[in-house]
Amino acid sequence: MRNQNTGTTALDDAVYKDVVVVGNGPSGMMLSYLLAGNVPYYTGQPHPADEMLTARLRSSATGGSLLDQDLQFLSQGLEGRSRSPVSLLADMLLHPCADMGLDYPSLLEWRHEPFLQVDHVVLGKGPPGGVWQMMDGNVLTISLGSWMELPDFPFRQWEAIHTAGGPQHFRNSRVPARSVARYYSDYVQAKKLGRFFRNSAVVTAITPLEPQSPSSACKNQSEVSGPEVRARWRIDGYDATSSVTFSYVCRDVVLATGGHDVPNMLHVPGELENPSWVMHNLSQLEKVLDTIAANQGMCRCRNGTARGAQCDPVVIVGAGLSAADAVIAARFRGLPVVHVFRSRTPQFSGRQLPEDMYPEYHKVHQMMNDRGRSYRLYTALAEHKVLEITSDRKVRLQSPDGKVVVCTASVVAVLIGSRPNLSILPPELNLAGDSSRPVDCHANPVQVELFSYAAVRAPEGMYAMGPLVGDNFVRFIQGGTLAVATDIHKNSSRKEEMIL
Ligand SMILES: Cc1cc2nc3c(=O)[nH]c(=O)nc-3n(C[C@H](O)[C@H](O)[C@H](O)COP(=O)(O)OP(=O)(O)OC[C@H]3O[C@@H](n4cnc5c(N)ncnc54)[C@H](O)[C@@H]3O)c2cc1C
């Protein structure tokens, strides 16, 4: 049956697409750009620091695009900050010598080749941009601004136009999450990708379909390529605004759902019973802190007491960068902080973050190690464990010597990391490298083929990318995009050859 509005073919109530991408963050956006028929070509310029790479690029580039090249050959021997060879390759082409602090132009140019467009849809719960649309806009990126950019849309040029009159960020600087979120929204518009995006679309289930035999589905040769035979996956979900359900069937499904959908929990009594003042999310915390600070401001105006003296402390649990952001947010508003963490000498990834670029994190690190002795309105409780949070806002903690300490909180922020939500897959489909444990973006990512990003433990036609496979930074996600797009194109042309 032909759907007149979309030009796609429906099976039962399901719409057929060659590719369905689940997740509309940077991963889904980059992949959509390639699947829309935008193709990277090597410019022919030498790589400034890697003669061998230049030689490999020159020997393979016979006028073809990068999607036609052997990615394994091109990425031979590359080393850097990612474990994925194809991520290193893409990074060296897009940001040559970035780790040396140098700023060379990209060695890739993009051409629009409409005949390479793949019929696809990108589904995402919220607006395009993924986790960046949910973050507190004031938080600065860990990466430099230009490392957050998506293909063929230079961040600095965009920034120069869109923040005219506002603060300009230099090459060696981080940028507020607010700018990144806006840049990602603009990307979809500027690159005319909107027609491929279905936002506010919550996927509830991804199911492998039984293989259909050509003879049972179709009678003649021309129908062998029809969707009845090609569909390998079914994707079900609902529209978050209208609650209307939808279904797609597709040949290939790409998991680009990110790694931050489910906050980690302490699993202590009281943690979930009081959501208005016990939270697991930095942007929600910021809003509550604004209210507390506003109330404190009123107190000070009336009776002149020092800001913060009137309110119970903000209890922050966790030793990572989000917990550090929470400490900064509370102190910025003059609110007292009790900072609870398990380690004796916290390190967060601070060791890899140079002090001149990340002074705020180094400051928090210093405060944690100093145990807050030298800092007003800040108390660090190292090696403490939360036992319980009671409804009268008491947090019961256990100190390293086993004593129980009780602290009254105005608000509690539990910021101890997050993990992906892959409950949309059938329970028997555990894609992790160690399939006896759940997927963890750092310790146990989805296992994929190195040069196609096809999920090793899934039936044919499933890919994964981004933090799910351990590519945690936008800079390194681009390699996965290239691998997936290359494989999808190769498989499409192989099938077309078979049909001919
Ligand atoms: C606080 C924080 C700071 C960070 N700072 C940096 C940084 O400075 N530099 C950097 O490069 N990276 C940073 N990252 C890492 C970040 O993961 C990547 O930048 C990037 O967002 C990953 O892109 P993604 O598209 O794979 O995942 P995401 O951005 O997480 O997007 C995935 C999207 O899929 C959606 N989704 C999930 N499940 C479903 C479903 N069932 N149905 C529909 N949609 C679904 C999610 O809602 C989300 O919108 C940071 C992450 C966090 C949390």
Short mmCIF file of all heavy atoms in Angstrom, two decimals, residues 125-174:
data_model
loop_
_atom_site.label_atom_id
_atom_site.label_comp_id
_atom_site.label_asym_id
_atom_site.label_seq_id
_atom_site.Cartn_x
_atom_site.Cartn_y
_atom_site.Cartn_z
N LYS A 125 13.22 11.94 21.39
CA LYS A 125 12.23 12.34 22.41
C LYS A 125 11.99 13.85 22.44
O LYS A 125 10.90 14.31 22.63
CB LYS A 125 12.74 11.94 23.80
CG LYS A 125 12.68 10.48 24.09
CD LYS A 125 13.17 10.23 25.51
CE LYS A 125 13.47 8.77 25.72
NZ LYS A 125 14.08 8.48 27.01
N GLY A 126 13.08 14.60 22.29
CA GLY A 126 12.96 16.06 22.42
C GLY A 126 13.39 16.74 21.13
O GLY A 126 13.38 16.13 20.06
N PRO A 127 13.79 18.02 21.21
CA PRO A 127 14.27 18.71 20.02
C PRO A 127 15.64 18.18 19.60
O PRO A 127 16.37 17.63 20.43
CB PRO A 127 14.35 20.18 20.46
CG PRO A 127 14.42 20.14 21.94
CD PRO A 127 13.76 18.88 22.40
N PRO A 128 16.05 18.36 18.33
CA PRO A 128 17.36 17.88 17.89
C PRO A 128 18.47 18.51 18.75
O PRO A 128 18.41 19.70 19.07
CB PRO A 128 17.46 18.37 16.44
CG PRO A 128 16.07 18.66 16.02
CD PRO A 128 15.31 19.03 17.24
N GLY A 129 19.45 17.70 19.10
CA GLY A 129 20.56 18.21 19.91
C GLY A 129 20.82 17.33 21.11
O GLY A 129 21.83 17.49 21.81
N GLY A 130 19.91 16.38 21.39
CA GLY A 130 20.14 15.38 22.43
C GLY A 130 20.35 15.99 23.79
O GLY A 130 19.65 16.93 24.20
N VAL A 131 21.36 15.51 24.48
CA VAL A 131 21.60 15.88 25.87
C VAL A 131 21.86 17.39 26.00
O VAL A 131 21.59 17.98 27.04
CB VAL A 131 22.77 15.02 26.42
CG1 VAL A 131 24.11 15.48 25.94
CG2 VAL A 131 22.76 14.92 27.90
N TRP A 132 22.29 18.02 24.92
CA TRP A 132 22.61 19.45 24.96
C TRP A 132 21.37 20.31 25.12
O TRP A 132 21.45 21.45 25.55
CB TRP A 132 23.42 19.85 23.72
CG TRP A 132 24.73 19.16 23.78
CD1 TRP A 132 25.06 17.97 23.22
CD2 TRP A 132 25.87 19.56 24.55
NE1 TRP A 132 26.34 17.60 23.57
CE2 TRP A 132 26.86 18.57 24.39
CE3 TRP A 132 26.16 20.66 25.36
CZ2 TRP A 132 28.10 18.64 25.00
CZ3 TRP A 132 27.40 20.74 25.97
CH2 TRP A 132 28.35 19.73 25.78
N GLN A 133 20.21 19.77 24.77
CA GLN A 133 18.97 20.54 24.93
C GLN A 133 18.45 20.41 26.37
O GLN A 133 17.52 21.11 26.76
CB GLN A 133 17.88 20.05 23.95
CG GLN A 133 18.30 20.12 22.49
CD GLN A 133 18.49 21.55 21.99
OE1 GLN A 133 18.25 22.52 22.72
NE2 GLN A 133 18.94 21.68 20.75
N MET A 134 19.03 19.51 27.14
CA MET A 134 18.55 19.29 28.52
C MET A 134 19.46 19.93 29.56
O MET A 134 19.11 20.03 30.72
CB MET A 134 18.53 17.77 28.84
CG MET A 134 17.93 16.89 27.78
SD MET A 134 16.19 17.20 27.63
CE MET A 134 15.63 16.57 29.20
N MET A 135 20.65 20.34 29.14
CA MET A 135 21.65 20.79 30.13
C MET A 135 21.37 22.21 30.61
O MET A 135 20.73 22.98 29.90
CB MET A 135 23.03 20.82 29.46
CG MET A 135 23.73 19.52 29.47
SD MET A 135 25.40 19.84 28.87
CE MET A 135 25.73 18.30 28.08
N ASP A 136 21.93 22.52 31.76
CA ASP A 136 21.90 23.90 32.23
C ASP A 136 22.73 24.74 31.25
O ASP A 136 23.91 24.45 31.02
CB ASP A 136 22.49 23.94 33.64
CG ASP A 136 22.73 25.35 34.10
OD1 ASP A 136 22.08 26.25 33.57
OD2 ASP A 136 23.56 25.53 35.00
N GLY A 137 22.13 25.76 30.68
CA GLY A 137 22.77 26.54 29.62
C GLY A 137 24.05 27.24 30.03
O GLY A 137 24.88 27.60 29.18
N ASN A 138 24.24 27.44 31.35
CA ASN A 138 25.43 28.18 31.79
C ASN A 138 26.68 27.31 31.89
O ASN A 138 27.79 27.83 31.95
CB ASN A 138 25.19 28.81 33.17
CG ASN A 138 24.08 29.83 33.10
OD1 ASN A 138 24.05 30.63 32.17
ND2 ASN A 138 23.16 29.77 34.04
N VAL A 139 26.47 25.99 31.96
CA VAL A 139 27.63 25.10 32.14
C VAL A 139 28.51 25.18 30.90
O VAL A 139 28.02 25.17 29.77
CB VAL A 139 27.14 23.65 32.38
CG1 VAL A 139 28.29 22.66 32.32
CG2 VAL A 139 26.43 23.55 33.71
N LEU A 140 29.81 25.26 31.12
CA LEU A 140 30.72 25.33 29.98
C LEU A 140 31.06 23.93 29.47
O LEU A 140 31.13 22.98 30.27
CB LEU A 140 32.03 26.02 30.39
CG LEU A 140 31.96 27.52 30.69
CD1 LEU A 140 33.33 28.02 31.13
CD2 LEU A 140 31.46 28.31 29.50
N THR A 141 31.27 23.81 28.18
CA THR A 141 31.68 22.52 27.62
C THR A 141 33.03 22.12 28.20
O THR A 141 33.82 22.98 28.60
CB THR A 141 31.84 22.62 26.10
OG1 THR A 141 32.73 23.68 25.80
CG2 THR A 141 30.52 22.84 25.40
N ILE A 142 33.27 20.82 28.19
CA ILE A 142 34.61 20.33 28.55
C ILE A 142 35.51 20.53 27.33
O ILE A 142 36.66 20.92 27.44
CB ILE A 142 34.56 18.83 28.94
CG1 ILE A 142 33.56 18.62 30.08
CG2 ILE A 142 35.94 18.32 29.37
CD1 ILE A 142 33.14 17.19 30.25
N SER A 143 34.92 20.28 26.15
CA SER A 143 35.68 20.42 24.90
C SER A 143 35.75 21.88 24.47
O SER A 143 34.93 22.70 24.87
CB SER A 143 34.97 19.67 23.78
OG SER A 143 34.66 18.37 24.15
N LEU A 144 36.70 22.15 23.57
CA LEU A 144 36.74 23.46 22.92
C LEU A 144 35.50 23.59 22.03
O LEU A 144 35.01 22.59 21.50
CB LEU A 144 37.98 23.59 22.05
CG LEU A 144 39.31 23.34 22.73
CD1 LEU A 144 40.45 23.57 21.74
CD2 LEU A 144 39.46 24.24 23.93
N GLY A 145 35.07 24.83 21.82
CA GLY A 145 33.86 25.05 21.01
C GLY A 145 33.94 24.38 19.65
O GLY A 145 33.00 23.73 19.21
N SER A 146 35.10 24.50 18.98
CA SER A 146 35.19 23.98 17.61
C SER A 146 35.14 22.45 17.58
O SER A 146 34.84 21.87 16.54
CB SER A 146 36.44 24.49 16.91
OG SER A 146 37.57 24.10 17.64
N TRP A 147 35.41 21.82 18.71
CA TRP A 147 35.33 20.35 18.75
C TRP A 147 33.89 19.86 18.89
O TRP A 147 33.62 18.67 18.82
CB TRP A 147 36.17 19.79 19.90
CG TRP A 147 37.65 20.03 19.72
CD1 TRP A 147 38.26 20.60 18.64
CD2 TRP A 147 38.68 19.70 20.64
NE1 TRP A 147 39.61 20.67 18.83
CE2 TRP A 147 39.90 20.11 20.06
CE3 TRP A 147 38.70 19.10 21.89
CZ2 TRP A 147 41.13 19.94 20.70
CZ3 TRP A 147 39.92 18.93 22.52
CH2 TRP A 147 41.12 19.34 21.93
N MET A 148 32.98 20.78 19.14
CA MET A 148 31.57 20.40 19.28
C MET A 148 30.86 20.43 17.92
O MET A 148 29.69 20.14 17.82
CB MET A 148 30.83 21.38 20.21
CG MET A 148 31.40 21.48 21.61
SD MET A 148 31.57 19.91 22.44
CE MET A 148 29.89 19.33 22.46
N GLU A 149 31.61 20.83 16.87
CA GLU A 149 30.90 21.10 15.62
C GLU A 149 30.54 19.84 14.85
O GLU A 149 31.16 18.79 15.00
CB GLU A 149 31.69 22.08 14.74
CG GLU A 149 32.89 21.53 14.08
CD GLU A 149 33.76 22.64 13.47
OE1 GLU A 149 33.59 23.82 13.81
OE2 GLU A 149 34.62 22.29 12.65
N LEU A 150 29.51 19.98 14.02
CA LEU A 150 29.01 18.91 13.18
C LEU A 150 29.53 19.15 11.76
O LEU A 150 29.99 20.25 11.44
CB LEU A 150 27.48 18.90 13.22
CG LEU A 150 26.86 18.79 14.62
CD1 LEU A 150 25.33 18.71 14.53
CD2 LEU A 150 27.38 17.59 15.38
N PRO A 151 29.46 18.13 10.87
CA PRO A 151 30.09 18.24 9.56
C PRO A 151 29.62 19.46 8.77
O PRO A 151 28.42 19.75 8.73
CB PRO A 151 29.65 16.96 8.84
CG PRO A 151 29.21 16.03 9.89
CD PRO A 151 28.80 16.83 11.07
N ASP A 152 30.59 20.14 8.16
CA ASP A 152 30.31 21.17 7.16
C ASP A 152 29.54 22.36 7.72
O ASP A 152 28.72 22.97 7.02
CB ASP A 152 29.49 20.50 6.02
CG ASP A 152 29.54 21.31 4.74
OD1 ASP A 152 30.45 22.12 4.59
OD2 ASP A 152 28.63 21.12 3.90
N PHE A 153 29.77 22.71 8.99
CA PHE A 153 29.06 23.84 9.60
C PHE A 153 29.95 24.40 10.72
O PHE A 153 29.72 24.13 11.89
CB PHE A 153 27.73 23.32 10.17
CG PHE A 153 26.71 24.39 10.48
CD1 PHE A 153 26.32 25.32 9.53
CD2 PHE A 153 26.10 24.43 11.74
CE1 PHE A 153 25.36 26.27 9.82
CE2 PHE A 153 25.14 25.38 12.04
CZ PHE A 153 24.77 26.30 11.08
N PRO A 154 31.01 25.17 10.31
CA PRO A 154 32.02 25.59 11.30
C PRO A 154 31.41 26.36 12.48
O PRO A 154 30.67 27.31 12.28
CB PRO A 154 32.96 26.48 10.48
CG PRO A 154 32.71 26.10 9.06
CD PRO A 154 31.29 25.65 8.97
N PHE A 155 31.73 25.88 13.67
CA PHE A 155 31.14 26.46 14.88
C PHE A 155 31.50 27.94 15.02
O PHE A 155 30.67 28.77 15.37
CB PHE A 155 31.62 25.68 16.11
CG PHE A 155 30.95 26.12 17.37
CD1 PHE A 155 29.70 25.64 17.72
CD2 PHE A 155 31.55 27.06 18.20
CE1 PHE A 155 29.06 26.06 18.87
CE2 PHE A 155 30.92 27.50 19.35
CZ PHE A 155 29.68 27.00 19.69
N ARG A 156 32.78 28.25 14.73
CA ARG A 156 33.20 29.64 14.95
C ARG A 156 32.52 30.61 14.00
O ARG A 156 32.16 31.72 14.37
CB ARG A 156 34.72 29.77 14.89
CG ARG A 156 35.31 29.63 16.28
CD ARG A 156 36.79 29.58 16.23
NE ARG A 156 37.23 28.29 15.77
CZ ARG A 156 38.31 28.09 15.06
NH1 ARG A 156 39.06 29.09 14.68
NH2 ARG A 156 38.67 26.87 14.72
N GLN A 157 32.29 30.18 12.76
CA GLN A 157 31.56 31.04 11.81
C GLN A 157 30.13 31.25 12.29
O GLN A 157 29.61 32.36 12.27
CB GLN A 157 31.52 30.39 10.44
CG GLN A 157 32.76 30.68 9.61
CD GLN A 157 32.68 29.93 8.28
OE1 GLN A 157 31.61 29.62 7.78
NE2 GLN A 157 33.85 29.63 7.74
N TRP A 158 29.52 30.16 12.74
CA TRP A 158 28.14 30.26 13.25
C TRP A 158 28.11 31.21 14.45
O TRP A 158 27.24 32.07 14.55
CB TRP A 158 27.65 28.86 13.67
CG TRP A 158 26.33 28.89 14.37
CD1 TRP A 158 25.09 28.84 13.81
CD2 TRP A 158 26.11 29.02 15.79
NE1 TRP A 158 24.12 28.92 14.77
CE2 TRP A 158 24.72 29.04 16.00
CE3 TRP A 158 26.95 29.14 16.89
CZ2 TRP A 158 24.16 29.15 17.27
CZ3 TRP A 158 26.39 29.27 18.16
CH2 TRP A 158 25.01 29.27 18.34
N GLU A 159 29.10 31.04 15.33
CA GLU A 159 29.14 31.85 16.56
C GLU A 159 29.31 33.33 16.23
O GLU A 159 28.67 34.19 16.83
CB GLU A 159 30.30 31.36 17.43
CG GLU A 159 30.21 31.83 18.85
CD GLU A 159 31.43 31.43 19.65
OE1 GLU A 159 32.52 31.30 19.06
OE2 GLU A 159 31.29 31.29 20.87
N ALA A 160 30.16 33.59 15.22
CA ALA A 160 30.42 34.99 14.85
C ALA A 160 29.13 35.66 14.39
O ALA A 160 28.89 36.83 14.67
CB ALA A 160 31.46 35.04 13.75
N ILE A 161 28.27 34.91 13.72
CA ILE A 161 27.01 35.49 13.23
C ILE A 161 25.98 35.55 14.35
O ILE A 161 25.32 36.56 14.55
CB ILE A 161 26.45 34.64 12.06
CG1 ILE A 161 27.42 34.67 10.89
CG2 ILE A 161 25.06 35.12 11.63
CD1 ILE A 161 27.15 33.63 9.83
N HIS A 162 25.88 34.47 15.11
CA HIS A 162 24.75 34.37 16.02
C HIS A 162 24.98 34.95 17.40
O HIS A 162 24.02 35.12 18.15
CB HIS A 162 24.30 32.91 16.13
CG HIS A 162 23.70 32.45 14.85
ND1 HIS A 162 22.39 32.67 14.53
CD2 HIS A 162 24.25 31.85 13.77
CE1 HIS A 162 22.15 32.21 13.33
NE2 HIS A 162 23.27 31.70 12.84
N THR A 163 26.22 35.21 17.74
CA THR A 163 26.42 35.85 19.04
C THR A 163 26.98 37.25 18.83
O THR A 163 27.68 37.78 19.67
CB THR A 163 27.33 35.03 19.97
OG1 THR A 163 28.57 34.81 19.29
CG2 THR A 163 26.73 33.70 20.34
N ALA A 164 26.66 37.84 17.66
CA ALA A 164 27.15 39.19 17.37
C ALA A 164 26.71 40.12 18.50
O ALA A 164 25.56 40.13 18.89
CB ALA A 164 26.58 39.66 16.04
N GLY A 165 27.66 40.86 19.03
CA GLY A 165 27.35 41.76 20.14
C GLY A 165 27.50 41.07 21.48
O GLY A 165 27.71 41.70 22.50
N GLY A 166 27.42 39.71 21.49
CA GLY A 166 27.57 38.96 22.74
C GLY A 166 29.02 38.55 22.89
O GLY A 166 29.87 38.94 22.09
N PRO A 167 29.33 37.72 23.90
CA PRO A 167 30.72 37.32 24.10
C PRO A 167 31.21 36.41 22.97
O PRO A 167 30.50 35.50 22.58
CB PRO A 167 30.68 36.54 25.42
CG PRO A 167 29.25 36.14 25.60
CD PRO A 167 28.42 37.12 24.85
N GLN A 168 32.35 36.69 22.41
CA GLN A 168 32.95 35.83 21.39
C GLN A 168 33.92 34.89 22.09
O GLN A 168 34.62 35.29 23.00
CB GLN A 168 33.72 36.66 20.37
CG GLN A 168 32.82 37.52 19.50
CD GLN A 168 32.02 36.67 18.53
OE1 GLN A 168 32.58 35.94 17.73
NE2 GLN A 168 30.71 36.76 18.60
N HIS A 169 33.96 33.64 21.65
CA HIS A 169 34.88 32.69 22.28
C HIS A 169 36.00 32.41 21.32
O HIS A 169 35.76 32.20 20.14
CB HIS A 169 34.12 31.43 22.66
CG HIS A 169 33.01 31.70 23.61
ND1 HIS A 169 31.72 31.86 23.20
CD2 HIS A 169 33.02 31.91 24.94
CE1 HIS A 169 30.96 32.13 24.25
NE2 HIS A 169 31.74 32.17 25.31
N PHE A 170 37.20 32.40 21.82
CA PHE A 170 38.34 32.20 20.96
C PHE A 170 38.56 30.72 20.74
O PHE A 170 37.96 29.88 21.39
CB PHE A 170 39.57 32.89 21.54
CG PHE A 170 39.35 34.37 21.64
CD1 PHE A 170 39.02 34.95 22.85
CD2 PHE A 170 39.42 35.16 20.50
CE1 PHE A 170 38.77 36.31 22.93
CE2 PHE A 170 39.17 36.52 20.58
CZ PHE A 170 38.84 37.10 21.80
N ARG A 171 39.43 30.40 19.80
CA ARG A 171 39.61 29.01 19.41
C ARG A 171 39.90 28.11 20.60
O ARG A 171 39.34 27.05 20.74
CB ARG A 171 40.76 28.92 18.39
CG ARG A 171 40.93 27.53 17.82
CD ARG A 171 42.06 27.51 16.84
NE ARG A 171 43.34 27.72 17.48
CZ ARG A 171 43.97 26.79 18.17
NH1 ARG A 171 43.46 25.61 18.28
NH2 ARG A 171 45.13 27.04 18.74
N ASN A 172 40.78 28.61 21.49
CA ASN A 172 41.17 27.77 22.61
C ASN A 172 40.24 27.95 23.79
O ASN A 172 40.68 28.07 24.92
CB ASN A 172 42.60 28.09 23.02
CG ASN A 172 43.56 27.35 22.12
OD1 ASN A 172 43.23 26.28 21.63
ND2 ASN A 172 44.71 27.93 21.90
N SER A 173 38.95 28.07 23.55
CA SER A 173 38.09 28.27 24.70
C SER A 173 36.88 27.36 24.63
O SER A 173 36.49 26.87 23.57
CB SER A 173 37.68 29.72 24.82
OG SER A 173 36.86 30.05 23.75
N ARG A 174 36.32 27.17 25.81
CA ARG A 174 35.10 26.37 25.93
C ARG A 174 33.92 27.31 25.72
O ARG A 174 34.07 28.53 25.76
CB ARG A 174 35.09 25.78 27.33
CG ARG A 174 36.30 24.90 27.58
CD ARG A 174 36.68 24.88 29.06
NE ARG A 174 35.66 24.27 29.86
CZ ARG A 174 35.57 24.43 31.18
NH1 ARG A 174 36.42 25.20 31.83
NH2 ARG A 174 34.61 23.84 31.85
#
